[in-house]
Amino acid sequence: MKTHTGAPEQRLASQNEPAVEQDQEGDSTRLILHAIESRDRVTQRGLAAELGIALGLTNIYLKRCLNKGLIKVRKAPARRYAYYLTSKGFTEKARLTAKFLRRSLSFFRLARQDCAELFDQCRTRGIEKVAFVGAGDLCEIASLAALDSEVEVVAVLDEVTNRQKVAGIPVVRRLDQLPAVEVLVITDTRDPQACFDRLAERHPPEKIQFPGFLHLSRGRNGGREGKS
């Protein structure tokens, strides 16, 4: 697959681990502030479950919010605590929300660009029919890019989703239910490397493709494909 030249600042940011960690912390803080604002009572355990992170990490985020003056805490009955947003907390939640939306838009643009390039390469190779693997947000972005190409997406493979269709494309639950296709395109963002590794056990590498920004390793087949 060809080397990408567009949006270098976005690609460098995607490989910057400290920046990624800051985004993750910012998103967790945003969700915590939103949950506290939206509910009369929240518990640390409830927040941990809602955010999908460990209870200890939730406690760390709450302490940081307290130290920054974003929230206040009061004792409640049954040895519980009630959390409240401060005026500074409301301002910070708005700032983090705006930052999240800007980053989401950048992701959309980068993902659509990479998907469009991938489909151009498919057409150059004479590939007409593909299937997506993964029914999340990237799948929907990739389906938009496919509309602008001559490549037909015949199905989406996802073992865990309850959706019957994504962007009008039928969803199947098992690999053996897929119609005949020439290429499988990874659109799984939950664990794309594991997804690739599973497919590689049953398919030749040239049949498995992915948007370049995922930077997946092809392992024994050498190198990292789609790397800028």
Side-chain angles (χ1 to χ4, degrees), residues 26-84:
D27 286 344
S28 296
T29 300
R30 174 180 59 85
L31 292 171
I32 284 175
L33 296 177
H34 176 74
I36 291 173
E37 180 191 11
S38 304
R39 294 164 179 72
D40 292 334
R41 293 286 185 273
V42 292
T43 65
Q44 289 189 19
R45 194 171 299 279
L47 285 172
E50 185 169 334
L51 272 62
I53 60 177
L55 182 61
L57 188 55
T58 303
N59 182 260
I60 290 173
Y61 285 140
L62 283 171
K63 286 182 177 179
R64 288 178 182 173
C65 289
L66 281 167
N67 292 336
K68 292 178 180 179
L70 304 180
I71 61 175
K72 289 184 177 180
V73 60
R74 296 178 186 170
K75 260 194 171 181
R79 300 179 65 183
R80 294 188 177 185
Y81 296 92
Y83 298 94
Y84 302 88

Side-chain angles (χ1 to χ4, degrees), residues 81-222:
Y81 296 92
Y83 298 94
Y84 302 88
L85 258 63
T86 63
S87 58
K88 187 176 179 180
F90 282 105
T91 300
E92 180 67 0
K93 184 177 76 72
R95 186 189 72 82
L96 290 172
T97 298
K99 182 179 178 182
F100 170 76
L101 292 174
R102 287 195 301 270
R103 196 171 71 251
S104 296
L105 182 58
S106 296
F107 169 75
F108 174 86
R109 288 171 175 166
L110 178 60
R112 183 156 184 173
Q113 174 187 319
D114 279 9
C115 289
E117 291 182 5
L118 188 154
F119 294 136
D120 285 345
Q121 293 157 19
C122 286
R123 287 301 301 145
T124 299
R125 294 168 53 195
I127 293 168
E128 297 180 350
K129 293 186 177 182
V130 306
F132 293 158
V133 184
D137 292 342
L138 179 55
C139 178
E140 297 194 20
I141 296 171
S143 69
L144 290 175
L147 291 175
D148 297 329
S149 73
E150 298 179 23
V151 175
E152 180 185 0
V153 185
V154 299
V156 177
L157 170 64
D158 194 301
E159 297 175 350
V160 298
T161 185
N162 292 322
R163 302 173 69 176
Q164 300 301 311
K165 290 185 177 182
V166 177
I169 306 167
V171 176
V172 299
R173 304 295 186 275
R174 299 196 315 269
L175 193 60
D176 59 11
Q177 293 176 329
L178 277 176
V181 295
E182 297 152 279
V183 162
L184 300 171
V185 177
I186 294 178
T187 53
D188 183 346
T189 54
R190 291 165 298 198
D191 193 344
Q193 185 63 59
C195 178
F196 175 88
D197 292 342
R198 287 195 300 270
L199 293 174
E201 292 176 356
R202 302 180 61 176
H203 297 282
E206 62 271 14
K207 187 171 181 176
I208 310 168
Q209 301 296 334
F210 48 85
F213 76 94
L214 289 179
H215 297 285
L216 304 185
S217 171
R218 290 189 177 272
R220 66 181 182 275
N221 298 303

